[in-house]
Amino acid sequence: MTQACAIPKAVRRRHDREIVALAVPAFGALVAEPLFVMADSAIVGHLGTSQLAGLGVASALLTTAVSVFVFLAYATTAAVARRVGASDLQAAIRQGMDGIWLALLLGATVIALVLTLAPALVDLFGASPTAAPYATTYLRISALGIPAMLAVLAATGVLRGLQDTRTPLYVAVAGFVANAALNAGLVYGAGLGIAGSAWGTVIAQCGMAAVYLTVVVRGAHRHGASLRPDAAGIRASAQAGVPLLVRTLSLRAILMIATAVAARLGDADIAAHHIILSLWSLLAFALDAIAIAGQAIIGRYLGAEDALGAREACRRMVQWGVAVGILLGLLVIVTRPLFLPLFTNDAVVKDTALPALLMVALSQPICGVVFVLDGVLMGAGDGPYLAGAMLVTLAVFAPVALLVPALGGGLTALWGAMTLMMTVRMLTLWLRARSGHWIVTGATR
């Protein structure tokens, strides 16, 4: 990013092949993940409104609890990829095992908290008296699968670091199919109701974790890596994850503030906001797939002490991010009239959402740069900078968003604030990428 020279055609093609080989399977795995919740909702929804409402509250809590620890995948990918670049597969897998042990320890802690606090958490999220018992039941049973969910995150990071995104795709698809079948069988066949849905999800997640662990353990045996927990390694994994945890929490705070502001604007605005946020999240999967490729590729180049290769790969991935962002933006503009009727027949909600969707479309090239550079800096192990940059972004976004209702702005103004947020992120990440300070070569940062 520090040089303006063009990338030679042969080098571009090599980078393109690497990006596609990693990003396409990663995209498939990312899309498969939210299908778990969709399958649960479709099956539980036929039990009744109270059960579906309870599932909605419990799923939101569970998703939040797990997504906070997504750093297990990000930090592990970067650390493993560096060691792959340094041609030390034994150390790479050993590093991955440290991440998995950390995931299991965190999972055990979260289980204890959720089982104890489940009723209070459900009340905090505003579940109605009729939905609360179902939400508590689902949450307590599903909590038993949290260690498996976190182990899946860490093991996914291991495989991505090993430049393998196909195995996570296969496991995610198989997990979705198993989850749907188990849910249907336990909810209706066994007559367990919403508890059956929770048990189906737990079993599916444990099965996915077992497959991942089998793959990693085989790799450890093949390369002579120890499987025993190492206190120093686990501590190092935790330290690498703390800045990424701060980054994730800051991003979650931004999304929560946006939803709270939309709720203040009125029922039509919050309904339209929910629809737009769902689309925004779906678009993010395509861009995040390139970011995942960036984590793995950049980590490998830096581990191999190839600073020039890392710079060229970064530049090419930014070009990919912009191109995919433009394509996604055009798709949003063209499909706006077709997309909204899938979610609502309310003319007021549609009229509220249409101009805000245009704002989302225009911001997609910016999002493309943000996601790619986020992945590049994660792959470089530049977590502290990412944490600081996200805190700056939160500090800029929060007052602007909170002023929207006070100044009489509507949902379009709120999504203008969201676009401002992404622009601030882009500037902070671009300045870091341009400086070259993220380029630290070697097996460890």
Side-chain angles (χ1 to χ4, degrees), residues 242-280:
V242 167
L244 296 179
L245 175 61
V246 172
R247 168 203 168 275
T248 300
L249 290 174
S250 300
L251 181 57
R252 297 294 298 186
I254 286 170
L255 297 178
M256 289 175 66
I257 290 170
T259 300
V261 170
R264 291 185 186 180
L265 297 175
D267 289 347
D269 293 88
I270 186 61
H273 177 74
H274 179 70
I275 294 170
I276 294 170
L277 191 60
S278 298
L279 175 63
W280 192 74

Side-chain angles (χ1 to χ4, degrees), residues 259-349:
T259 300
V261 170
R264 291 185 186 180
L265 297 175
D267 289 347
D269 293 88
I270 186 61
H273 177 74
H274 179 70
I275 294 170
I276 294 170
L277 191 60
S278 298
L279 175 63
W280 192 74
S281 300
L282 180 62
L283 297 174
F285 286 137
L287 299 173
D288 203 26
I290 306 174
I292 287 169
Q295 293 171 32
I297 293 170
I298 294 299
R300 192 187 75 234
Y301 274 117
L302 294 178
E305 301 193 8
D306 186 354
L308 178 60
R311 286 193 185 95
E312 290 176 340
C314 175
R315 192 178 300 115
R316 188 56 177 166
M317 280 183 281
V318 168
Q319 293 169 357
W320 268 78
V322 172
V324 173
I326 291 173
L327 176 61
L328 293 176
L330 291 174
L331 284 174
V332 172
I333 292 173
V334 171
T335 61
R336 279 187 307 157
L338 303 175
F339 173 75
L340 289 173
L342 296 176
F343 292 87
T344 181
N345 293 319
D346 190 318
V348 177
V349 174

Side-chain angles (χ1 to χ4, degrees), residues 240 242-244 246-247 250 373-374 376-378 380-393 424-439 445:
V242 167
L244 296 179
V246 172
R247 168 203 168 275
S250 300
L373 291 182
D374 208 38
V376 165
L377 297 185
M378 283 183 190
D382 205 14
Y385 182 85
L386 288 172
M390 189 58 80
L391 287 172
V392 169
T393 302
V424 172
R425 287 188 70 189
M426 183 183 69
L427 291 174
T428 57
L429 296 174
W430 178 78
L431 288 172
R432 184 65 167 181
R434 192 171 186 274
S435 73
H437 294 321
W438 55 278
I439 300 176
R445 183 176 171 87

